Coordinates of all heavy atoms in Angstrom, one line a residue:
R594 N 252.7 136.6 143.8 CA 254.1 136.1 144.0 C 254.2 134.7 144.3 O 255.0 133.9 143.8 CB 254.8 137.0 145.0 CG 256.3 136.9 145.2 CD 257.2 137.2 144.0 NE 256.7 138.1 143.1 CZ 256.9 138.0 141.7 NH1 257.7 137.1 141.3 NH2 256.4 138.9 140.9
P595 N 253.2 134.1 145.2 CA 253.3 132.7 145.5 C 253.1 131.8 144.2 O 253.4 130.6 144.3 CB 252.2 132.5 146.5 CG 251.9 133.8 147.0 CD 252.2 134.8 145.9
T597 N 254.6 131.7 141.6 CA 255.9 131.1 141.2 C 256.8 130.7 142.3 O 257.5 129.6 142.3 CB 256.7 132.1 140.3 OG1 256.7 133.4 140.9 CG2 256.1 132.2 138.9
L598 N 256.7 131.4 143.5 CA 257.6 131.0 144.6 C 257.2 129.7 145.2 O 258.1 128.9 145.6 CB 257.5 132.1 145.7 CG 258.4 133.4 145.4 CD1 258.3 134.3 146.5 CD2 259.9 133.0 145.1
E599 N 255.9 129.4 145.3 CA 255.5 128.2 146.0 C 256.0 126.9 145.2 O 256.6 126.0 145.7 CB 254.0 128.2 146.3 CG 253.5 127.3 147.4 CD 254.4 127.2 148.6 OE1 254.9 128.3 149.1 OE2 254.7 126.1 149.1
P600 N 255.7 126.9 143.8 CA 256.2 125.8 143.0 C 257.7 125.7 143.0 O 258.2 124.6 143.1 CB 255.7 126.2 141.6 CG 254.5 127.0 141.8 CD 254.8 127.8 143.1
L601 N 258.4 126.8 143.1 CA 259.9 126.8 143.2 C 260.3 126.1 144.5 O 261.3 125.3 144.5 CB 260.5 128.2 143.1 CG 260.6 128.7 141.7 CD1 260.7 130.3 141.7 CD2 261.7 128.1 140.9
R602 N 259.6 126.4 145.6 CA 259.9 125.7 146.9 C 259.6 124.2 146.8 O 260.4 123.4 147.2 CB 259.0 126.3 148.0 CG 259.8 127.4 148.7 CD 259.0 127.9 149.9 NE 259.1 129.4 149.8 CZ 258.1 130.2 149.8 NH1 256.9 129.8 149.8 NH2 258.3 131.5 149.7
L603 N 258.5 123.9 146.2 CA 258.2 122.4 146.1 C 259.3 121.7 145.2 O 259.7 120.6 145.6 CB 256.9 122.2 145.3 CG 255.6 122.5 146.1 CD1 254.4 122.5 145.2 CD2 255.5 121.5 147.3
L604 N 259.7 122.4 144.2 CA 260.7 121.8 143.3 C 262.0 121.7 144.0 O 262.7 120.6 144.0 CB 260.9 122.7 142.1 CG 261.7 122.2 141.0 CD1 261.0 121.0 140.4 CD2 261.9 123.3 139.9
R605 N 262.4 122.7 144.8 CA 263.7 122.7 145.5 C 263.7 121.6 146.6 O 264.7 121.0 146.9 CB 263.9 124.0 146.2 CG 265.3 124.2 146.8 CD 265.8 125.6 146.7 NE 267.1 125.7 147.1 CZ 267.5 126.0 148.4 NH1 266.5 126.3 149.3 NH2 268.7 126.0 148.7
A606 N 262.5 121.3 147.1 CA 262.5 120.3 148.2 C 262.5 118.9 147.6 O 262.5 117.9 148.3 CB 261.2 120.5 149.0
G607 N 262.5 118.8 146.2 CA 262.6 117.5 145.6 C 261.3 116.8 145.7 O 261.2 115.6 145.5
A608 N 260.2 117.5 146.0 CA 258.9 116.8 146.3 C 258.2 116.4 145.0 O 257.5 115.4 145.0 CB 258.0 117.8 147.0
T609 N 258.5 117.0 143.9 CA 257.8 116.7 142.6 C 258.6 117.3 141.5 O 259.7 117.7 141.6 CB 256.4 117.2 142.7 OG1 255.7 116.9 141.5 CG2 256.3 118.7 143.0
I614 N 254.1 119.8 138.4 CA 253.5 121.0 138.9 C 252.8 121.8 137.8 O 251.6 122.2 138.0 CB 254.6 121.9 139.5 CG1 255.3 121.2 140.7 CG2 254.1 123.3 140.0 CD1 256.5 121.9 141.3
F628 N 256.1 127.2 135.6 CA 257.5 127.1 135.0 C 257.4 127.5 133.5 O 258.3 128.2 133.1 CB 258.0 125.7 135.2 CG 258.2 125.4 136.7 CD1 257.4 124.5 137.4 CD2 259.2 126.0 137.4 CE1 257.6 124.3 138.7 CE2 259.4 125.8 138.8 CZ 258.6 124.9 139.4
P653 N 260.6 139.7 154.1 CA 260.0 138.6 154.8 C 260.4 137.3 154.1 O 260.5 137.2 152.9 CB 258.5 138.9 154.6 CG 258.4 139.7 153.4 CD 259.7 140.5 153.3
P654 N 260.5 136.2 155.0 CA 261.0 134.9 154.4 C 260.1 134.4 153.2 O 260.6 133.8 152.3 CB 260.9 134.0 155.6 CG 260.8 134.8 156.8 CD 260.4 136.2 156.4
R655 N 258.8 134.7 153.3 CA 257.9 134.1 152.2 C 258.2 134.7 150.9 O 257.9 134.1 149.9 CB 256.5 134.3 152.6 CG 255.9 135.7 152.6 CD 254.5 135.8 153.0 NE 253.9 137.1 152.8 CZ 254.2 138.2 153.6 NH1 255.0 138.1 154.6 NH2 253.6 139.3 153.4
F656 N 258.8 135.9 150.8 CA 259.1 136.5 149.5 C 260.6 136.3 149.1 O 261.0 136.9 148.1 CB 258.8 138.0 149.5 CG 257.3 138.3 149.6 CD1 256.9 139.5 150.2 CD2 256.4 137.5 149.0 CE1 255.5 139.8 150.3 CE2 255.0 137.8 149.1 CZ 254.6 139.0 149.7
R657 N 261.3 135.5 149.8 CA 262.7 135.4 149.5 C 262.8 134.7 148.1 O 262.2 133.7 147.9 CB 263.5 134.5 150.5 CG 264.9 134.3 150.3 CD 265.6 133.6 151.4 NE 265.7 134.3 152.6 CZ 266.5 135.3 152.8 NH1 267.4 135.7 151.9 NH2 266.5 136.0 154.0
P658 N 263.6 135.4 147.2 CA 263.7 134.8 145.8 C 264.3 133.4 145.9 O 265.1 133.1 146.8 CB 264.6 135.7 145.1 CG 264.5 137.0 145.8 CD 264.3 136.7 147.3
S659 N 264.0 132.5 145.0 CA 264.4 131.1 145.0 C 265.9 131.0 144.5 O 266.2 131.6 143.4 CB 263.5 130.3 144.1 OG 264.1 129.0 143.9
P660 N 266.7 130.2 145.2 CA 268.1 130.0 144.7 C 268.1 129.3 143.3 O 269.0 129.5 142.6 CB 268.6 129.0 145.8 CG 267.8 129.2 147.0 CD 266.4 129.6 146.5
I661 N 267.0 128.6 143.0 CA 266.9 127.9 141.7 C 266.9 129.0 140.6 O 267.7 128.9 139.6 CB 265.6 127.1 141.6 CG1 265.7 125.9 142.5 CG2 265.4 126.6 140.1 CD1 264.5 125.0 142.5
F694 N 265.9 119.7 139.8 CA 266.4 120.6 140.9 C 266.0 120.1 142.2 O 264.9 119.9 142.5 CB 265.7 122.0 140.7 CG 265.9 122.6 139.4 CD1 265.1 122.4 138.3 CD2 267.0 123.5 139.2 CE1 265.2 123.0 137.1 CE2 267.2 124.1 138.0 CZ 266.3 123.8 136.9
D696 N 266.9 120.4 146.5 CA 267.6 121.0 147.6 C 268.8 120.2 148.0 O 268.6 119.0 148.4 CB 266.6 121.2 148.7 CG 267.1 122.0 149.9 OD1 268.4 122.2 149.9 OD2 266.3 122.4 150.7
R700 N 266.4 119.1 152.7 CA 265.2 119.4 153.4 C 264.0 119.1 152.6 O 263.8 119.7 151.5 CB 265.2 120.9 153.8 CG 265.7 121.1 155.2 CD 265.9 122.6 155.4 NE 266.9 123.2 154.5 CZ 266.8 124.3 154.0 NH1 265.8 125.1 154.2 NH2 267.8 124.7 153.2
G701 N 263.1 118.2 152.9 CA 262.0 117.8 152.1 C 260.7 118.5 152.6 O 260.8 119.2 153.6
I702 N 259.6 118.2 152.0 CA 258.4 118.8 152.5 C 257.5 117.6 152.9 O 256.2 117.7 152.9 CB 257.6 119.7 151.5 CG1 257.3 118.9 150.3 CG2 258.4 120.9 151.2 CD1 256.0 119.3 149.7
R714 N 247.8 124.1 147.4 CA 248.9 124.8 148.1 C 249.2 126.1 147.5 O 249.3 127.1 148.2 CB 250.1 123.9 148.0 CG 251.1 123.9 149.1 CD 252.2 123.0 148.8 NE 253.4 123.5 149.5 CZ 253.8 123.1 150.6 NH1 253.3 122.0 151.1 NH2 254.8 123.7 151.2
A718 N 248.3 129.8 149.3 CA 249.3 130.9 149.5 C 248.9 132.2 148.9 O 249.0 133.3 149.5 CB 250.7 130.4 149.0
E773 N 255.1 123.8 158.2 CA 256.2 123.7 157.2 C 256.7 125.1 156.9 O 257.9 125.3 156.7 CB 255.6 123.2 155.9 CG 255.6 121.7 155.8 CD 254.8 121.3 154.5 OE1 255.0 122.0 153.5 OE2 254.1 120.3 154.6
D774 N 255.8 126.1 156.8 CA 256.2 127.4 156.4 C 255.3 128.5 156.9 O 254.3 128.8 156.3 CB 256.2 127.5 154.8 CG 256.6 128.8 154.3 OD1 256.7 129.8 155.0 OD2 256.7 128.9 153.0
D776 N 255.5 131.7 157.6 CA 255.3 133.0 157.1 C 254.4 133.0 155.9 O 253.6 134.0 155.7 CB 256.7 133.6 156.6 CG 256.7 135.1 156.4 OD1 256.0 135.8 157.3 OD2 257.2 135.6 155.4
T777 N 254.4 131.9 155.1 CA 253.5 131.9 154.0 C 252.1 131.5 154.4 O 251.1 132.1 153.9 CB 254.0 130.8 152.9 OG1 255.3 131.2 152.5 CG2 253.1 130.8 151.7
F778 N 252.0 130.5 155.3 CA 250.7 129.8 155.5 C 249.9 130.2 156.8 O 248.8 129.8 156.9 CB 250.8 128.3 155.4 CG 251.2 127.9 154.0 CD1 252.4 127.3 153.7 CD2 250.3 128.0 152.9 CE1 252.8 126.9 152.4 CE2 250.6 127.6 151.6 CZ 251.8 127.1 151.4

Side-chain angles (χ1 to χ4, degrees):
R594 190 62 24 213
T597 46
L598 279 183
E599 200 44 43
L601 281 160
R602 262 182 227 126
L603 284 172
L604 191 63
R605 187 147 187 264
T609 179
I614 295 174
F628 297 107
R655 69 184 188 283
F656 290 151
R657 182 175 292 285
S659 168
I661 292 178
F694 302 89
D696 185 347
R700 266 171 294 144
I702 60 143
R714 209 182 151 101
E773 277 171 35
D774 177 355
D776 197 43
T777 302
F778 293 113

